[in-house]
């Protein structure tokens, strides 16, 4: 993908919870660094109680989907429904934003290089759930967040951007999460902008951005 | 340990190579943030060709020991010699500075809480050899260095200090190592100062420093 597109890139955002990263993306599209460059076309939640659904509706996202995990008898049926929905929507990018499930390998393969995730740690440290708690229990002095391309593993895909934050002696899971979240809200739109405006390639598992088209 | 000691703390530094972290510690003791607080009493190398040996002699370190690995028939004999040497020296702290061997469990146990190591990555990411190469191959955007207490594992002990550095797209192992090394030279003396001047305790594997005695 390169700059100079006539239409903003169409994003589908997958959510499960509060949706603060969705909000950051919505804000960046409306009046931030993604203005004119991207818009959120669809929000998909696997959780009927996700506050993210309210945020999507409030922002006037054209398509808001609930694929409640409990509506599907088997994991495979849910996975197929999500895969078909994404095929149907055919967004330019799929952004996981607090989406609490592993995406099925077939879907990952179909969206390889066009599916992003954000994780509240400096990967490869502390993948998986409760990354901030893991970091505190390990006793690190520095943590941060990572935006990466999604692959078949749990938070193992090629890294687009990372930023560090300090961990303080009196941090709790909540205070550390809040400090990281502030950075997340800046880093996710920046990573989306990067992937939409710069040519890139993989060398091994390293993302190499070529010279900017933006000058 | 607390401040107010009459004599500077006596450090034993274990080395295998170039000794740039040894030099940083020597400089900090001579005229930096460890002045009056610590002095390097002994340097021990397992490598006869370590440039660190020359640095130790040039700085007038009172005791410079070579325990050449090749002089010992078996690993266990080397381990025992090192253990006995440390017992004999009875330093206040043992600092591993580019020491390329795992310390035997019995020696680790004897010096628990008084043996430090520095590692050129943000642990728990990229333990072991060639940490900078590991980081580049993983494709991280942030790395750094860690000073930690030594335990029985490979770079797994409780963390004292960490600091992040950026990783740039055109970094080589050498340029990243040089950027991290600059921080190492500042961080290791700072960690030695911390452990010499602040009361601390472990909570799980987390190092908790109590209020400063320095005011």
């Amino acid at each position: 993908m390169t700059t100079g597109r006539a239409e903003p890139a169409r994003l589908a955002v997958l959510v499960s919870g509060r949706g603060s990263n969705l909000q950051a993306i919505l804000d960046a599209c409306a009046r931030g660094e993604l203005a004119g460059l991207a818009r959120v076309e669809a929000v998909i939640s696997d959780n009927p109680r996700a506050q993210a659904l309210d945020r999507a509706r409030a922002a006037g996202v054209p398509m808001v989907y609930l694929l409640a995990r409990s509506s599907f008898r088997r994991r495979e049926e849910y996975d197929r429904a999500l895969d078909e929905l994404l095929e149907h929507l055919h967004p330019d990018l799929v952004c996981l934003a607090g989406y609490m499930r592993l995406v099925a390998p077939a879907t990952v393969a179909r969206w390889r290089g066009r599916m992003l995730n954000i994780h509240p740690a400096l990967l490869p440290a502390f993948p998986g759930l409760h990354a901030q708690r893991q970091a505190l229990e390990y006793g690190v002095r520095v943590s941060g967040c990572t935006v990466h391309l999604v692959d078949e593993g749990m938070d193992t895909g090629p890294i687009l951007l990372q930023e560090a934050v300090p961990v303080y002696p009196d941090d709790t899971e909540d205070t550390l999460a809040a400090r990281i979240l502030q950075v997340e809200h800046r880093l996710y739109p920046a990573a989306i902008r990067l992937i939409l405006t710069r040519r890139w390639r993989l060398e091994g598992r390293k993302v190499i951005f070529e010279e900017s088209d933006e000058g």
Side-chain angles (χ1 to χ4, degrees), chain A:
Chain A
M1 279 176 276
T2 60
T3 50
R5 63 171 69 245
E7 293 291 318
R10 299 165 62 250
L11 311 183
V13 183
L14 272 59
V15 298
S16 299
R18 192 168 40 165
S20 79
N21 272 308
L22 167 64
Q23 191 67 57
I25 294 168
L26 288 166
D27 294 347
C29 290
R31 54 186 173 277
E33 69 175 319
L34 296 176
L37 193 66
R39 65 189 165 96
V40 178
E41 184 84 354
V43 168
I44 305 170
S45 173
D46 69 331
N47 172 12
R49 287 177 304 280
Q51 192 193 332
L53 289 167
D54 302 325
R55 293 183 193 263
R57 289 186 201 100
V61 171
M63 294 174 277
V64 180
Y65 294 92
L66 173 63
L67 291 185
R69 178 63 187 88
S70 56
S71 309
F72 296 85
R73 275 175 310 177
R74 296 189 309 138
R75 168 81 209 218
E76 292 70 26
E77 293 170 8
Y78 172 87
D79 286 343
R80 192 166 55 239
L82 176 62
D83 191 68
E84 289 172 358
L85 177 55
L86 288 174
E87 276 284 276
H88 169 71
L89 294 168
H90 63 87
D92 295 301
L93 284 183
V94 180
C95 300
L96 279 53
Y99 179 68
M100 301 300 279
R101 311 178 67 77
L102 267 179
V103 178
T107 309
V108 168
R110 214 186 293 285
W111 295 92
R112 198 179 302 283
R114 296 178 296 154
M115 182 179 276
L116 278 58
N117 185 36
I118 189 159
H119 183 77
L122 291 177
L123 292 170
F126 312 124
L129 292 178
H130 307 303
Q132 302 92 339
R133 190 190 308 169
Q134 290 183 58
L136 287 176
E137 286 175 355
Y138 196 94
V140 294
R141 305 301 189 187
V142 173
S143 191
C145 59
T146 303
V147 183
H148 64 92
L149 296 169
V150 174
D151 71 4
E152 285 76 1
M154 170 78 87
D155 303 318
T156 53
I159 291 170
L160 295 171
L161 285 177
Q162 294 185 298
E163 190 171 321
V165 306
V167 179
Y168 297 120
D170 57 352
D171 265 327
T172 63
E173 206 175 330
D174 285 347
T175 60
L176 178 58
R179 188 174 312 118
I180 293 173
L181 205 55
Q182 280 198 307
V183 177
E184 290 180 52
H185 294 165
R186 184 159 37 75
L187 208 67
Y188 211 165
I192 292 169
R193 182 177 186 89
L194 257 182
I195 201 102
L196 288 176
T197 60
R198 297 279 288 274
R199 296 176 195 277
W200 61 274
R201 65 183 195 282
L202 283 180
E203 271 181 17
R205 49 162 298 126
K206 204 169 147 183
V207 181
I208 312 284
F209 287 100
E210 298 179 9
E211 285 309 297
S212 175
D213 292 341
E214 298 185 88

